[in-house]
Structure formats: structure tokens, C-alpha cells
Amino acid sequence: MGQMHFHVSDAAAEFFHNCRWKDAYLCGIEGVPWQTRNMFHPTDPSASGPVSTPEDLPADFQSGDHAGGRLTLTRNVATSAKLLITCPIDGIGYRVLTTCSLRCLDTPHRLIIELARGSCYRVRTQADTWQRGGLSLNEHFDALLIEGTRHFLDALQPAAAVAAAKEAAKSGAADLVESNPQADIESAQSAIRAITILEQAAAELGELFSTQSMAFRRSREPRLSTMMAVGISPECCASRQSVGASRTNHTATPGTPAAKSGSTAMLNDALVGVDEPGSVIDSDIIHAFNAAAVRISWGDIETASGTPDFGPVSKVLDECASVGLRVIGGPVIDHREGLLPEWLTLMDNDFERLLTSMTNFVEATVNRFRGQVHLWNAASGLNVSGPMRLDDEQVMRFSIGVLQTIRRCDPTTPVIMSIEQPCGEYLARHADGISPIHFADALLRSGLGLAGIGLNFRFGYDHGETHPRSALEFAQLIDRWGTLNAPLLVQLSIPGDPGLDPAARLKTFPVSLSPETDGRADAWARQQQEFAQPLIETLLAKQIVHAVVWDGASDQAPHVMPHTGVIDASGRPRPVLSYLTKLREEMLM
């Protein structure tokens, strides 16, 4: 068993306790997390011993004079590893910080110093790599990098420690220099400042990459063929109220993508009356997207065994065809708690019967909608532990069964398989589950003609989320998945409101992506757009990303993830809708 210890000085305690340290984890060079148990050992004798969550600390502990301690992460191996921890960055919000690779030692590493070292290494090496590839840096980035590096060096050797060492050398007692409280304070302040500035440099570097890469793509492809899809749930057919009754219908103006694109040639004629009661797709949404990700899912269609109801899905697909939206159908199997048919619990101990039921449903579904779907999303989330409680062998058999059935019934339409939590955070807390990138690699090597991989990123939730990352980290992550040499479909789920969402199927709660965001809906909606924009622009800059899916059209209609819609529950467009509309007008087909 290996333990990695990190010292948290009193001077760095406030920063540490604002971090989400209970969700921190260790990973190796491949980025796959180890199952990790986290404990914080306060140095304050008034604290009640080691704790595993911040809630276990005394109420007044964080404001005390001795709020430091030692963070210990325990796993089954004693090899070197990197620490990943979500921390608040002034002016940016919560972001994952990563140390460099560290050895397991009995003596603790200095947490704040190692996080600053990781930020410095990450920004400098990526800047060098991209610059060698032709990226042009600017003076603003150079200034941030120089200043951030200077603060990191100050943290390693604070002025107070240097002065104390010189004084001790003069007196001939250099080997007796003791801990210097002033030096600890200076070191912590410099490290925190270094992290803040270097993360600003990372944001600038990510923007430089997306801007210049996009310009290069558009020099060869003025209108990007990337699919920008909106997630639509067929449940809205029965209960959706008109979200555009109070807004004026729009028509495509000459020169816009809607007017020029062959795939949307029917748009102008179809927009009349699109906001009438019974309509599924709002006209404002049509202007922002060139595709629709329609939920064609087992749990929604076959609520009673052997009696699928395809009516709501047919209505949505017909409307998508009438307004010229390409269709991504699925996930046919959504392996999340509460999204599979309830009657499957009767088959808990009968895998062969489960496989037969799945095959029958998939066959009936694909035969029904063959020709109306342009891309099949076969299944989502089979890499994580779900309600079917399958072991690794059964997961692979089930996955292959879904793919084989779709390919047999519809051999011409491309098929993808989607991965939940592509960074693998679930592996840090549970032994169950398969490494996401290894699972995808096995499917691609199966020889079943898988056309690509879907990556589902859900940022800002208390369950099943991907920890928030900068555009730089996101670009590196996409590059890592790109090593599989398969097209990628990326789905983004980001909440635009706090609290419970009564219209959402999943009752997970939104978690703020910035400590500065209060409970106001407009602040959350603005946060949604500000967090999403650099990620979307990074994805559009990557040629290996063939489709981007925004998970949610309107929060007025029934949907899956809470508060993800580009239109809120009161029918008002969120800022992200305006951004996506402009994006499509300027650069998408």
C-alpha cells in the first residue's frame, strides 16, 4: 500500500480549505486514476483527529490561527504519481491543478509549492510544444509567463529564508537554521500568486491556440462541417408548452448559413409556425444548431416489456427533417441510474435474458428509424458502474451485442459508442468500472466497424461530473483521446441555474464553477456561457472532433440533466444561445 503525504502550512490553509480536496486523486503517466482514500490530519490539537471530508472539521477551524495540517492520499501501489485537485483561481473560477510526477516518501511534499511547480511546468512545456508547431505567442502571454515563473522561484526561496540563511552563515551556524514563520508566509503567498498568474497564462495560451488553429482551418474550409447539435428529449412532445409564443418568429436572412447550406434548404419555409403548440424545436434554437441529438433510448421507449412506444421519437425526427437538422440518434442504451427500463430489475441474475431483451429492442428501434438517423449513438456509460451491475466480461459482451445488432440492421449508417467521465474520476472512488480510454480502445479494436467515440463531459454537478478544466487542459485531454485515431463526438452538460430542476430526469444538483457566483440565475447563466465558450472553441479547432453536442434545448420541456438548456425554465434565452447562434452564422455550415 502506498501513501503520498502533502504538507499544508498555516499560511496556505485558507487556499487549501477552499479547494475540493476530498475529491482529489492520484494518477499515473497515462492519466488513469487510482482508487484513492483521502484524509486530512490537522496540526491544531483542538481539531478532532483525521477527517475525510471538510464537513467533519470544527465549524471555526478554517478561521483559526492553526488551520494547516497534512493531506494523505492512500492507494494500493507505491509508485510515483501526480496529484489532481480542484482549486479556486482568482478571476477564473474552479480549475483542476496538477502536480508534476512525485515519489511516495515518508516525508510530506509541500502542497502549494508542488501545485505551483505543476502549473509552471504545464504552461511552459505546452507553450514550447505549440510554438514549435507554428503557434505565435504574444507579449501578454510572455509577460504572464515571466511573472508567474518569478513568483514560483520566490516561493521556492523566499526572501526571509535567504536573509535568515545569510545571517546564520555569518554566525557559523548555517546547519542550525530553524523553520522561519515569515519565510513560510512569503513562500505560500508567492506560490498562490504564481498559480493565479500561470493559470491566467494557461487561459491566454488556450485562446491563442484556438484562435490560430481556427484561422488555419477556415483558410482551407471557410465553413466548418463540424456538427453542432442540440440535445432533444422526445418526452417534450407530450408536455412541452410553447416557449416562443411571446417572441417573434425569425426567418433565415440571405447570406446566413441557414440560407446557404444545402442541409437547411427547407428552413425558411418550415420556420413559419414552428413555435406553435405541439412544436418540439424552437426557431431560435434552429438558428444556433445544424444538428439534433435526439434521445432514442430504451428507458424512454419501452417502459413495459415488449411494448415499445415509438410515437414521440417519430414526431421529433419528422420535425428535424422538416427544418433540415441532421440527426444523431441515441444513446440507444443509456447506462445511468434511472434511465433504463425499471422492469430490467427482474433480470438481475439472468444476463442471457437481458442480452436477448436488449437485442430485440435495438433491432426493432433501428429497423423503425433506419434512414431517418444520420449517426447512431449506440450506448453511453457502459464504462462506469450502473444499474445493471455487470462485470467487465459482461460489459464487453453487452457492448459488442449492441454494436453488432445496429450494424446488422443498418450497415450504412455510422455508429459510435459514448464514454462517461472521460477523465476517469469514478475510478478514484470505486473499484468497479473500466478505464475509459482502455474501454474505447478495446471497442475500436473489436473489428465491428465502430465509426468513432463519444465523450460525455458533465461539468458542475455533484454526481458523475468531470472536474472543471481550463481550455489548455481540455485541449491536452482531447489530444490524448486523439491518439486512438478515431473521430470524436463531444457532449457538454453545464448548468445555467442553481438548485433542483423539477423537469429534469436526474436529480443531481448543480455545483458552482466559480466561488464568486452567488445564487442569482443571471450569474449562473453567465457562468455557463463563460465556461463553455473556450471549450467549444477548442473543440472546433480540433479536426478530429466531428461533432459537438450541447446537452439541452429548453428547460421548460422534460429533459435529463438539470438546468442545461439554452432556454431557461421561464422561456428566456440564456447567453450561451446568443453565443452559439453567432458562432453558427460566422463559421458553421
Side-chain angles (χ1 to χ4, degrees):
M1 180 173 292
Q3 288 189 328
M4 191 167 285
H5 307 284
F6 294 90
H7 172 66
V8 180
S9 66
D10 292 345
E14 183 179 359
F15 179 84
F16 170 75
H17 289 296
N18 287 327
C19 297
R20 296 171 179 169
W21 57 263
K22 76 171 184 178
D23 296 325
Y25 62 89
L26 300 171
C27 73
I29 192 171
E30 290 183 329
V32 178
W34 280 289
Q35 186 178 6
T36 310
R37 184 168 60 91
N38 302 346
M39 296 293 290
F40 179 68
H41 305 258
T43 54
D44 190 339
S46 65
S48 55
V51 297
S52 58
T53 65
E55 293 76 15
D56 295 334
L57 290 167
D60 59 346
F61 180 76
Q62 296 181 27
S63 61
D65 294 332
H66 301 284
R70 186 178 76 252
L71 175 66
T72 299
L73 295 94
T74 305
R75 59 201 166 118
N76 293 327
V77 294
T79 58
S80 59
K82 297 188 296 184
L83 170 71
L84 284 81
I85 182 171
T86 303
C87 302
I89 311 298
D90 287 345
I92 295 179
Y94 285 105
R95 294 295 184 271
V96 170
L97 297 181
T98 309
T99 68
C100 296
S101 186
L102 302 171
R103 293 186 297 163
C104 284
L105 302 173
D106 293 334
T107 56
H109 300 279
R110 292 186 293 171
L111 177 65
I112 196 70
I113 294 293
E114 295 304 332
L115 292 178
R117 190 194 312 276
S119 292
C120 187
Y121 171 81
R122 196 164 57 252
V123 176
R124 294 183 74 90
T125 54
Q126 190 61 64
D128 181 68
T129 299
W130 280 344
Q131 192 173 27
R132 289 171 184 270
L135 185 72
S136 297
L137 305 180
N138 60 20
E139 292 182 359
H140 180 53
F141 171 78
D142 290 338
L144 288 172
L145 186 60
I146 291 171
E147 186 181 1
T149 303
R150 178 174 60 81
H151 281 288
F152 168 59
L153 295 175
D154 289 343
L156 290 176
Q157 197 172 40
V162 173
K166 288 181 179 179
E167 189 65 30
K170 289 179 182 179
S171 63
D175 57 338
L176 299 178
V177 177
E178 297 181 355
S179 176
N180 187 326
Q182 182 60 33
D184 289 344
I185 293 173
E186 290 181 7
S187 178
Q189 290 175 343
S190 295
I192 293 170
R193 184 65 180 153
I195 290 170
T196 302
I197 295 172
L198 288 167
E199 290 304 312
Q200 291 172 357
E204 178 71 15
L205 181 60
E207 184 176 352
L208 288 171
F209 169 80
S210 61
T211 301
Q212 295 178 35
S213 297
M214 188 79 71
F216 177 77
R217 282 198 69 183
R218 295 188 67 188
S219 68
R220 302 186 174 198
E221 187 183 3
R223 289 283 178 183
L224 303 184
S225 59
T226 306
M227 294 174 70
M228 180 66 72
V230 60
I232 298 175
S233 176
E235 293 176 284
C236 60
C237 293
S239 60
R240 184 182 189 272
Q241 299 296 320
S242 174
V243 300
S246 61
R247 299 198 299 272
T248 304
N249 285 336
H250 300 283
T251 57
T253 57
T256 64
K260 291 181 178 178
S261 172
S263 65
T264 55
M266 302 171 63
L267 179 60
N268 288 337
D269 294 335
L271 281 178
V272 179
V274 85
D275 285 339
E276 296 175 356
S279 173
V280 176
I281 309 173
D282 187 275
S283 61
D284 288 344
I285 291 175
I286 297 172
H287 284 289
F289 300 94
N290 59 20
V294 180
R295 278 187 64 83
I296 305 177
S297 190
W298 195 5
D300 302 336
I301 293 173
E302 194 173 358
T303 55
S305 179
T307 57
D309 179 10
F310 295 115
V313 175
S314 293
K315 178 176 175 59
V316 175
L317 294 182
D318 289 344
E319 188 162 345
C320 288
S322 71
V323 296
L325 293 177
R326 291 173 287 176
V327 173
I328 303 168
V332 182
I333 308 295
D334 196 334
H335 192 232
R336 284 183 285 174
E337 204 75 44
L339 299 182
L340 284 170
E342 295 182 0
W343 49 267
L344 286 184
T345 55
L346 302 175
M347 303 181 185
D348 274 350
N349 299 317
D350 193 342
F351 178 72
E352 297 302 328
R353 186 180 169 200
L354 171 66
L355 207 58
T356 300
S357 297
M358 176 276 294
T359 302
N360 291 339
F361 169 75
V362 173
E363 184 174 335
T365 301
V366 176
N367 285 334
R368 174 66 181 266
F369 299 119
R370 183 176 56 237
Q372 294 179 274
V373 171
H374 301 90
L375 173 67
W376 285 107
N377 186 357
S380 174
L382 287 171
N383 57 302
V384 302
S385 177
M388 291 192 289
R389 312 299 177 194
L390 306 178
D391 59 35
D392 290 358
E393 180 185 353
Q394 290 173 334
V395 166
M396 291 307 301
R397 287 185 60 194
F398 193 90
S399 304
I400 290 172
V402 176
L403 291 172
Q404 285 179 327
T405 304
I406 295 177
R407 299 301 297 157
R408 184 180 71 251
C409 298
D410 188 358
T412 60
T413 303
V415 184
I416 67 165
M417 185 77 78
S418 291
I419 305 296
E420 286 289 320
Q421 291 183 268
C423 299
E425 287 91 347
Y426 57 94
L427 296 173
R429 297 291 167 259
H430 305 287
D432 297 333
I434 307 172
S435 164
I437 199 163
H438 294 156
F439 179 63
D441 185 48
L443 292 173
L444 289 168
R445 293 173 183 270
S446 66
L448 296 175
L450 195 63
I453 295 294
L455 305 176
N456 298 337
F457 293 98
R458 313 189 196 283
F459 297 104
Y461 292 97
D462 65 351
H463 178 71
E465 73 151 357
T466 295
H467 297 172
R469 283 163 166 77
S470 66
L472 173 61
E473 289 272 310
F474 197 62
Q476 292 172 332
L477 178 63
I478 296 300
D479 287 343
R480 189 179 305 130
W481 279 94
T483 60
L484 297 179
N485 199 30
L488 299 177
L489 177 150
V490 178
Q491 178 175 286
L492 299 174
S493 303
I494 304 169
D497 257 316
L500 182 67
D501 184 350
R505 291 273 298 276
L506 297 181
K507 300 307 176 184
T508 179
F509 278 85
V511 175
S512 178
L513 293 167
S514 171
E516 300 174 0
T517 302
D518 55 25
R520 294 181 295 112
D522 60 337
W524 276 72
R526 188 168 57 254
Q527 171 188 259
Q528 180 190 53
Q529 187 267 327
E530 291 174 352
F531 185 84
Q533 180 172 338
L535 303 187
I536 292 173
E537 291 172 0
T538 298
L539 292 172
L540 293 178
K542 300 282 187 181
Q543 291 188 341
I544 199 166
V545 178
H546 288 208
V548 180
V549 177
W550 183 269
D551 184 20
S554 171
D555 287 345
Q556 287 189 307
H559 49 279
V560 178
M561 292 298 295
H563 302 301
T564 57
V566 293
I567 295 174
D568 67 18
S570 61
R572 293 174 300 184
R574 291 191 171 114
V576 70
L577 178 60
S578 175
Y579 163 70
L580 292 172
T581 301
K582 182 179 179 182
L583 195 70
R584 189 191 173 194
E585 289 175 353
E586 292 180 351
M587 63 182 64
L588 296 178
M589 292 180 64

